[in-house]
Amino acid sequence: MSFLQVRNIHHTYFTKDTATTALSDISLTVEEGEFVSFLGPSGCGKTTLLSIIANLIKPTEGTVLLENKPVSTLKNDIGYMLQQDYLFPWKTIEENILLGLKLSKQLNEKTKTNTLNLLKQMGLNGGIEKQLPKQLSGGMRQRVALVRTLATEPKLLMLDEPFSALDYQTKLKLEDLVSNTLKAFGKTAILVTHDIGEAIAMSDRVFLLSPRPGRIYKTFEIPKELK
Ligand code: ADP
Ligand code: ADP
């Protein structure tokens, strides 16, 4: 059985006088340790699909199973990295990370040590960890966001356009850093992007979505020699 199973998802948004079908008949599977991308133009339903998989919205139809369990029954199993880092501005980097663990009730000596080591591995040490988010560049803040996500040890990571606010050079560096880090931890991840270069650089497999309503138009593997 596949690690993640997405079965026959349809989703329609209803507002007062309109109905927008964002997704139509999406079925896919993702294996443990795989890194996949949802690639497609703006409005094709990528964020909707990610939100359904993460149980943030309930689909009009269909089911999502993670390790054979409906995602609606899971807790702390899915982590996020978004375009904005959502760090608390008045807390230091270290406090932000530890707060993430505390909020998910996972703060103990072991997780604290692991997390502080991870900060070091990401180059967020030597005093940087005692700074406030606004003192760091965008690239450094996204490293913090990655550490905060990994600290809670999610089984599945969701990355929704995580680099779109960064300059090109920083983005290229972070693409490598994030994909290498997730591979090293054996994490399963889904990247949402409209950037084909990013999808090629980071993922093993790409689901290309077509718009209105979003459907899987094509699925393709990224050959290792393109990395
Ligand atoms: P993408 O992430 O690929 O840009 P979205 O999932 O954000 O696409 O949106 C897919 C479609 O659903 C778009 O047509 C969008 O306008 C519509 N949509 C998204 N969120 C809502 C909402 N909360 N209410 C109504 N329509 C929405
Ligand atoms: P990147 O994230 O691609 O390395 P950045 O512009 O984010 O690019 O950072 C460039 C370098 O500057 C980093 O490798 C880091 O060593 C240093 N740096 C960034 N922000 C800070 C900071 N607030 N304090 C100390 N060093 C920093």
Side-chain angles (χ1 to χ4, degrees), residues 21 26 31 81 108 116 118 137 167 171 174 189 207 209 218 226:
T21 298
I26 303 271
E31 304 307 321
M81 192 173 164
N108 56 49
L116 296 180
L118 193 56
S137 63
D167 66 80
K171 173 180 136 81
L174 279 208
F207 296 99
L209 302 189
K218 226 178 193 93
L226 288 188

Side-chain angles (χ1 to χ4, degrees), residues 29 37 50 52 54 85 91 93 111 123 127 144-145 166 171-172 178 199 205 221 226:
T29 57
S37 294
L50 204 71
I52 288 170
D85 54 45
K91 292 202 178 288
I93 297 310
T111 55
V144 178
L166 303 178
K171 173 180 136 81
L172 293 186
V178 171
R205 202 150 54 102
E221 309 245 341
L226 288 188

